[in-house]
Amino acid sequence: MSPTAETLTAERILAATEEVLRRHGPAKATVVDVARALGVSHGSVYRHFRTKAALREAVTKRWLDRTSEVLSGIAAATDRDPESRVRDWLRALFDAKRHKAGDDPELFATYTVLTTENSDAVDEHLTDLTTQLTDIVRTGTESGAFTTPDPATTATALFQATARFHDPGYYREWERAGIEGEFEALVDLLVRGLRAAV
């Protein structure tokens, strides 16, 4: 077994797959291309990912998990007040999605295709995000900062209300003049609705 094959990991394969997807796009990228980029046989890749579909799903999940990881730190910061956490979480979500679209448009276009193929990974991602937001809202409700009888329903409503600022279908609007003010105005309105009556 070659040294390259001995050190072959799922993470190395996923990183190489991302590069191959960036170069060739989702329609032309193959497992053979990934193996070639790694200097291994395609059988070595298949030992980690049984099918091309499994590889594409794993790379999609990895891409989506990057956003979840950034947001999870905000959701877990229970030493901060819930209102600031809601604001910062929504801001971080908007920024993460906008950077993905703007910093690497070719890869963003590729992942737009892959997410339509891998609805389970997308559903898992959306569940994770709404769970994080639910945890923040629940903390606010328990502390008396927010008045909501059902944190999960409220979090889902917050997530859906801000979809224009994180749903990839709206990515063309994210660099438009005035989008920042529109985002802030919406978040202010939503947060005012969460606050407990004084």
Side-chain angles (χ1 to χ4, degrees):
M1 186 179 274
S2 72
T4 304
E6 288 176 24
T7 58
L8 188 65
T9 63
E11 184 57 32
R12 280 190 61 218
I13 293 169
L14 293 175
T17 302
E18 191 167 277
E19 286 306 312
V20 167
L21 287 165
R22 180 182 283 115
R23 271 190 315 238
H24 301 294
K28 294 183 181 177
T30 68
V31 174
V32 171
D33 293 326
V34 174
R36 190 177 297 122
L38 290 163
V40 300
S41 71
H42 66 281
S44 297
V45 175
Y46 281 126
R47 278 194 278 283
H48 289 270
F49 299 96
R50 294 182 58 151
T51 64
K52 178 181 176 180
L55 177 58
R56 288 165 75 104
E57 182 174 3
V59 80
T60 302
K61 184 178 183 321
R62 177 179 183 257
W63 189 68
L64 294 170
D65 285 350
R66 289 181 190 144
T67 300
S68 297
E69 289 166 11
V70 168
L71 297 168
S72 66
I74 298 167
T78 55
D79 58 323
R80 298 181 53 223
D81 72 274
E83 183 176 320
S84 295
R85 285 167 61 207
V86 167
R87 288 178 182 278
D88 291 349
W89 192 93
L90 291 170
R91 162 56 68 189
L93 178 60
F94 181 30
D95 288 347
K97 298 291 183 168
R98 188 162 50 174
H99 285 299
K100 282 184 177 185
D103 294 350
D104 196 341
E106 294 84 9
L107 197 58
F108 180 78
T110 293
Y111 278 108
T112 300
V113 171
L114 292 181
T115 55
T116 62
E117 293 176 3
N118 297 291
S119 60
D120 289 347
V122 173
D123 291 345
E124 184 181 314
H125 175 65
L126 295 176
T127 298
D128 181 42
L129 295 184
T130 54
T131 299
Q132 288 183 28
L133 196 50
T134 298
D135 290 343
I136 299 171
V137 174
R138 182 176 292 111
T139 301
T141 302
E142 290 170 355
S143 71
F146 298 155
T147 54
T148 178
D150 184 352
T153 299
T154 300
T156 299
L158 286 169
F159 191 75
Q160 292 172 346
T162 56
R164 182 172 166 229
F165 302 98
H166 56 78
D167 184 316
Y170 293 96
Y171 80 95
R172 286 186 176 89
E173 295 186 24
W174 296 344
E175 295 305 320
R176 190 176 47 75
I179 196 74
E180 285 291 332
E182 293 168 18
F183 172 78
E184 293 296 340
L186 178 59
V187 172
D188 284 344
L189 177 68
L190 295 171
V191 168
R192 280 199 306 275
L194 289 172
R195 289 181 190 145
V198 181

